Amino acid sequence: MRTRNSHYPNNSPVTIPRRQNRRRTPNVVEPELRTIVEVAPMADNRTMEELLQAPTEGYGEAIVIPEINADHFEIKTNLLQLVQANPFHGFERENPHTHINNFKRITSTLKFRDVPNDVIKLMMFPYSLEGAARVWYDKEPPNSILTWEDLVTKFVNQFFPPSKTTHLKNEISRFTQKFEETFSEAWERFKEMLRACPHHGFTELTQIDTFYNGLNENDQDSLNAAAGGNLLSKTTREALNIIENKSKVRYSRNKSNVSRMNTNSRESSSKTDERIDKLADQISTLVEIVSKKVVTPATVKAVEESCVTCGGAHAYYNCPNTDRINLVFVLQRVLTIK
């Protein structure tokens, strides 16, 4: 076996290295000493009363108006008055979609160079709110509305929640013609229901089918007759035109009839009022006449009894002389007979 010493001969001048036991020093990371610098607060010379006062800038606006680069840009007072003429209050009967459409119709007429129309709408929309709608806007967090789309989304969701959409869609699906409601009146009411929920999602085919099935049999037959025998043989656009034309014809006739009925009713009511006035005058006159002719009756004295036979204060049938007179009369009759 070859050893370490045999590798190096004895007469070799090379020194054999010996293994030394070295201790391993651990890698100790000494903590870094940092100096803590205390920052002295800035001196505030305000009094406690001034510190407790409310900030003068108030609560921030919810709408963030983008920067406008146009020169001499301002909104005229008459335009603000036009927007404020038809405000949205937040009533149950109000439709936020209708308000948005009217507002866009007004602001679309404004054209300013280097000023986007959405910026104008963001600036003017708060002036179109009153009552509960204005309270809602004032409660919105500051800087929470950045675009016109954000404003429309929040406004519609607040005053047209999903529950209202579901209710209106169910009302449309359950449409039924009312008793004594004409064809034109039923069609106008159905269109009003569709306008109340512009995002109903019903196709034209579904609308026509719902309206047709809600009509009574007479109006269904007349509608089929107007379509040449069967409304289903027409396209949806042709069917809508037939319904619209039929409603206009019936409506014009009904309108004239209603006007005549209203005129007749007004004339008859005026004549009735005149008769009632005359009767009231006659009754008043009779009351006055009767009140003048009523005379207080005189006091009636008690009737004293007086006898017709002797003149005494008694009735004739109680007169004591009656028997005597009868006797004399009988004697006279006897003597006459003899």
Side-chain angles (χ1 to χ4, degrees):
M1 180 177 179
R2 187 177 185 181
T3 61
R4 187 181 186 93
N5 293 330
S6 63
H7 181 71
Y8 298 97
N10 293 330
N11 56 358
S12 177
V14 179
T15 305
I16 301 173
R18 297 194 178 189
R19 180 177 295 179
Q20 297 179 359
N21 295 328
R22 297 180 181 179
R23 293 182 180 179
R24 294 182 180 180
T25 58
N27 296 329
V28 179
V29 180
E30 296 182 357
E32 182 181 359
L33 299 180
R34 296 182 180 179
T35 57
I36 301 175
V37 180
E38 295 182 358
V39 179
M42 296 179 62
D44 195 343
N45 297 327
R46 292 182 298 174
T47 63
M48 289 187 295
E49 182 180 1
E50 293 174 347
L51 293 172
L52 292 174
Q53 289 179 353
T56 57
E57 62 270 12
Y59 199 66
E61 287 285 335
I63 297 178
V64 178
I65 305 298
E67 184 179 356
I68 300 175
N69 298 323
D71 297 332
H72 308 292
F73 170 74
E74 62 177 354
I75 297 177
K76 303 297 182 180
T77 305
N78 56 356
L79 183 60
L80 291 177
Q81 294 175 351
L82 183 62
V83 171
Q84 294 173 340
N86 297 308
F88 184 86
H89 300 83
F91 298 142
E92 182 66 23
R93 66 176 181 273
E94 291 180 308
N95 192 327
H97 295 96
T98 303
H99 181 71
I100 291 292
N101 292 333
N102 294 336
F103 180 79
K104 290 170 62 178
R105 191 178 298 111
I106 295 173
T107 55
S108 63
T109 59
L110 302 177
K111 302 295 181 182
F112 293 96
R113 186 176 181 180
D114 298 330
V115 180
N117 190 257
D118 286 353
V119 175
I120 299 175
K121 290 184 288 187
L122 288 173
M123 295 176 64
M124 298 183 60
F125 189 78
Y127 295 97
S128 69
L129 304 178
E130 286 187 2
R134 182 68 190 191
V135 172
W136 161 79
Y137 172 75
D138 292 337
K139 290 183 178 180
E140 285 296 301
N143 304 327
S144 60
I145 300 175
L146 304 178
T147 62
W148 171 249
E149 288 73 16
D150 293 343
L151 178 58
V152 173
T153 301
K154 287 192 174 185
F155 178 70
V156 172
N157 289 337
Q158 176 66 26
F159 298 101
F160 210 109
S163 58
K164 186 174 182 180
T165 301
T166 303
H167 172 73
L168 293 178
K169 291 179 67 174
N170 292 335
E171 290 293 325
I172 296 173
S173 301
R174 294 193 296 264
F175 170 79
T176 304
Q177 187 176 8
K178 295 181 180 180
F179 180 70
E180 293 185 353
E181 186 179 35
T182 62
F183 179 87
S184 59
E185 292 172 347
W187 177 240
E188 290 298 325
R189 185 168 62 88
F190 184 74
K191 290 193 298 183
E192 185 64 28
M193 295 170 66
L194 295 176
R195 284 191 293 266
C197 186
H199 53 291
H200 52 74
F202 295 118
T203 62
E204 291 184 347
L205 176 61
T206 305
Q207 297 175 27
I208 297 173
D209 182 68
T210 302
F211 176 73
Y212 177 83
N213 292 326
L215 296 174
N216 56 44
E217 294 183 358
N218 293 332
D219 284 332
Q220 286 181 355
D221 294 339
S222 63
L223 187 59
N224 287 324
N230 189 0
L231 186 65
L232 296 178
S233 62
K234 305 295 181 179
T235 63
T236 56
R237 182 54 52 185
E238 292 174 345
L240 287 174
N241 291 333
I242 293 172
I243 295 174
E244 195 68 34
N245 294 332
K246 179 177 172 57
S247 65
K248 290 179 180 179
V249 174
R250 296 293 298 273
Y251 179 74
S252 62
R253 294 176 181 175
N254 291 336
K255 186 176 181 180
S256 61
N257 292 333
V258 170
S259 61
R260 294 194 195 98
M261 292 176 62
N262 293 335
T263 304
N264 295 333
S265 62
R266 286 196 296 268
E267 293 177 355
S268 61
S269 61
S270 61
K271 292 180 181 179
T272 303
D273 294 339
E274 292 177 359
R275 293 176 182 176
I276 293 175
D277 294 337
K278 290 181 180 180
L279 289 175
D281 294 338
Q282 293 176 1
I283 293 173
S284 300
T285 304
L286 291 175
V287 170
E288 293 178 358
I289 294 173
V290 171
S291 62
K292 292 179 181 179
K293 289 187 177 182
V294 172
V295 180
T296 304
T299 304
V300 179
K301 296 181 179 180
V303 179
E304 296 181 355
E305 294 182 349
S306 177
C307 181
V308 296
T309 302
C310 64
H314 53 264
Y316 71 93
Y317 49 81
N318 292 329
C319 182
N321 296 326
T322 302
D323 296 338
R324 189 183 303 167
I325 293 173
N326 293 334
L327 179 59
V328 173
F329 180 74
V330 170
L331 291 174
Q332 288 178 355
R333 293 284 296 179
V334 170
L335 292 175
T336 302
I337 295 172
K338 290 181 177 183

